[in-house]
Amino acid sequence: MVAKKSSVDRPAAPSPPKVAVRAAEKRGYGTTMEQPERADRPTSDADRPGGVLVVGDPPRRPRWRERISLTLDLIRANPTGRIALKIFIAIAGAIVVTIGIALIPLPGPGWLLVIAGLGIWAVEYHWARRLLGFTRRHVHGWTQWVTRQSLAVRIVLGSVGLVFVATVVWLSLKFSLGIDLVAKVMQYLATH
């Protein structure tokens, strides 16, 4: 038998999505997460098999990060602001990544600047966020692997890294500035 619903009965409204609740709370509005009781769902965690489910609060972000997040949300709320933010993030990230790529062959923080540029892009672009996560995972995995190795293996890895950097510096100076360091050193050693 099918029971007809009356137009006077109010349907049980689901609670607002968590994203909407967080956005409203950031803007200073009070929200409730109470859901109407339903017959097919237990009313408390104690009624569930296995006892009481205790979930701790997630760790709070620092205030400055909350401020930045709120500011970015307010900028994104305006269509013009959203476009301007995308353009600004794209240009700032491109400048930092370009400088980082230019510094990779030279001794200095080239890769660090490339990763920082990806971090800037990750504020607004999902592909950059995924690439940054991939990079973090692999760099962390590499450093964990290196720290588990013996001292001899770490010395060999460090030596290979230094030879690579020296080769890149030598090739950069030879082909970009026309200075052959090896020839100059050999000439110096022959005369002294």
Side-chain angles (χ1 to χ4, degrees), residues 36-43:
E37 293 184 20
R38 295 190 330 210
D40 61 339
R41 184 175 57 189
T43 57

Side-chain angles (χ1 to χ4, degrees), residues 41-111:
R41 184 175 57 189
T43 57
S44 69
D45 290 333
D47 296 338
R48 292 185 180 171
V52 177
L53 176 65
V54 177
V55 178
D57 290 334
R60 286 186 50 97
R61 295 191 318 183
R63 278 182 73 89
W64 64 271
R65 287 191 70 174
E66 288 180 7
R67 286 283 250 187
I68 290 173
S69 178
L70 179 62
T71 303
L72 290 174
D73 286 344
L74 290 174
I75 291 171
R76 289 182 188 121
N78 183 349
T80 306
R82 186 172 34 248
I83 293 170
L85 180 66
K86 276 196 177 284
I87 292 170
F88 174 76
I89 293 294
I91 291 172
I95 289 170
V96 173
V97 167
T98 304
I99 292 171
I101 289 173
L103 290 177
I104 286 174
L106 303 174
W111 285 110

Side-chain angles (χ1 to χ4, degrees), residues 65-173:
R65 287 191 70 174
E66 288 180 7
R67 286 283 250 187
I68 290 173
S69 178
L70 179 62
T71 303
L72 290 174
D73 286 344
L74 290 174
I75 291 171
R76 289 182 188 121
N78 183 349
T80 306
R82 186 172 34 248
I83 293 170
L85 180 66
K86 276 196 177 284
I87 292 170
F88 174 76
I89 293 294
I91 291 172
I95 289 170
V96 173
V97 167
T98 304
I99 292 171
I101 289 173
L103 290 177
I104 286 174
L106 303 174
W111 285 110
L112 187 63
L113 285 176
V114 170
I115 292 172
L118 275 176
I120 292 171
W121 277 337
V123 168
E124 203 56 36
Y125 300 103
H126 293 287
W127 62 267
R129 194 171 302 136
R130 287 192 310 268
L131 184 58
L132 187 61
F134 173 83
T135 305
R136 283 181 180 166
R137 282 191 308 274
H138 282 77
V139 167
H140 182 71
W142 169 256
T143 56
Q144 291 297 318
W145 180 82
V146 168
T147 56
R148 287 191 309 264
Q149 302 308 310
S150 67
L151 182 61
V153 172
R154 286 189 266 170
I155 288 173
V156 168
L157 288 173
S159 300
V160 168
L162 285 175
V163 168
F164 175 73
V165 168
T167 305
V168 168
V169 168
W170 171 65
L171 290 172
S172 298
L173 290 175

